[in-house]
Amino acid sequence: REWVVALNAWKDKELSEFVRQPRWQKAASGQRSRGGASLIEYGTPGAGKKTVIYYNPFDDGNPVKRSEKVRRFLDKSGIKCTISGHQPHGSTPTVVRHMETGLLAITADTSRSDTSGIGSKVFNPLNNRGHAISVVRLKGDFVIIEGDMNDGKSHRCCLNRRDMSKDVLPHALVGRQMISNAWVKTVVIENNTPKVIVALGSGYIVAVETMSVQKACMRLKSEYCLGGNFCIKLHDVEARQLLELPTTLES
């Protein structure tokens, strides 16, 4: 709340400066400036500074946890869920769970889910989204993420944004990281069987795999095995559930 108050106060100050000096002026040093320039830069791509709008939450195209400083601040402020747009990562929103604080960090940008142009650029040459569309909704204690991926498959997951220990399989897998560094992104239904979508980013390419719930549980990083019933009994596992399936590439 203190951050929101301070940010709004800064915004009001910048708007007042713009009203006072809306046109560019050149100082004796030759540098041009105008009122509200910092506010404009705050939401401008390519301005060269990190903002809450254009911060990159990935490392070489793959999601990572928020910094320890940010995690501590959000936890101290009682914030358990953050939702942002930037940065693109495949055709479904990205969820990153932070086990030590219970934070759900969601980046819901699918603006580069299909840059191939096959069928998607006929009416709009700038369309890099293709057919992918997702909706993120807050409903009581839950955040619901659902929509269609670029291949036409529907996806949906329902996560408790206040207490992740209450999540149940397969939804409890979403936002957890695999030993391969891939992340579980969402849940799909194939032949009446729930499966999860797993994605690993590298640069501008995202390798996507549809994985059985059993296989996903067995491939979680140790820190992400906490807070849910991820123990799998071997007699419940079928060989076909462990097969290496082909991955698809999204940009």
Side-chain angles (χ1 to χ4, degrees), residues 203-221:
Y204 292 103
I205 303 300
V206 182
V208 180
E209 179 182 353
T210 301
M211 187 177 291
S212 71
V213 172
Q214 292 83 354
K215 182 178 178 180
C217 287
M218 296 174 68
R219 293 200 170 184
L220 288 176
K221 281 188 173 181

Side-chain angles (χ1 to χ4, degrees), residues 137 144-147 154-158 170-171 174 186-188:
R137 293 185 292 124
I144 301 169
I145 305 173
E146 59 186 340
S154 296
H155 70 89
R156 186 181 190 276
C157 61
C158 181
H171 304 274
V174 175
T186 189
V187 178
V188 296

Side-chain angles (χ1 to χ4, degrees), residues 184-206:
V184 182
K185 299 197 70 179
T186 189
V187 178
V188 296
I189 304 296
E190 288 191 355
N191 298 321
N192 296 320
T193 301
K195 295 185 178 181
V196 294
I197 298 297
V198 177
L200 175 64
S202 178
Y204 292 103
I205 303 300
V206 182

Side-chain angles (χ1 to χ4, degrees), residues 141-202:
D141 291 342
F142 298 94
V143 54
I144 301 169
I145 305 173
E146 59 186 340
D148 294 334
M149 297 185 295
N150 203 47
D151 60 5
K153 292 181 181 177
S154 296
H155 70 89
R156 186 181 190 276
C157 61
C158 181
L159 312 175
N160 193 306
R161 61 189 179 98
R162 303 191 190 280
D163 184 358
M164 67 171 64
S165 67
K166 295 182 179 180
D167 287 336
V168 298
L169 288 174
H171 304 274
L173 283 166
V174 175
R176 297 177 191 264
Q177 194 171 28
M178 322 293 287
I179 55 177
S180 65
N181 288 328
W183 293 86
V184 182
K185 299 197 70 179
T186 189
V187 178
V188 296
I189 304 296
E190 288 191 355
N191 298 321
N192 296 320
T193 301
K195 295 185 178 181
V196 294
I197 298 297
V198 177
L200 175 64
S202 178

Side-chain angles (χ1 to χ4, degrees), residues 234-248:
L234 290 180
H235 64 72
D236 291 332
V237 179
E238 299 178 16
R240 61 182 177 83
Q241 296 171 334
L242 302 180
L243 292 176
E244 294 292 339
L245 300 177
T247 59
T248 57

Side-chain angles (χ1 to χ4, degrees), residues 50-170:
K50 294 180 179 179
T51 75
V52 295
I53 300 175
Y54 282 98
Y55 171 72
N56 180 357
F58 301 155
D59 180 13
D60 190 29
N62 202 46
V64 294
K65 294 192 294 185
R66 301 301 180 259
S67 69
E68 184 179 351
K69 182 178 180 180
V70 170
R71 297 198 303 265
R72 288 201 309 265
F73 177 82
L74 294 176
D75 188 44
K76 183 179 178 180
S77 302
I79 297 174
K80 295 295 184 182
C81 181
T82 63
I83 304 173
S84 66
H86 196 63
Q87 162 169 338
H89 189 264
S91 62
T92 61
T94 297
V95 181
V96 174
R97 293 182 188 258
H98 298 70
M99 305 308 296
E100 67 276 22
T101 63
L103 172 68
L104 283 177
I106 302 171
T107 50
D109 189 341
T110 60
S111 59
R112 291 184 59 85
S113 58
D114 181 15
T115 59
S116 67
I118 300 176
S120 63
K121 296 180 180 289
V122 175
F123 299 104
N124 181 0
L126 299 180
N127 182 0
N128 290 319
R129 189 184 304 275
H131 301 292
I133 182 171
S134 291
V135 177
V136 180
R137 293 185 292 124
L138 298 179
K139 188 174 182 180
D141 291 342
F142 298 94
V143 54
I144 301 169
I145 305 173
E146 59 186 340
D148 294 334
M149 297 185 295
N150 203 47
D151 60 5
K153 292 181 181 177
S154 296
H155 70 89
R156 186 181 190 276
C157 61
C158 181
L159 312 175
N160 193 306
R161 61 189 179 98
R162 303 191 190 280
D163 184 358
M164 67 171 64
S165 67
K166 295 182 179 180
D167 287 336
V168 298
L169 288 174

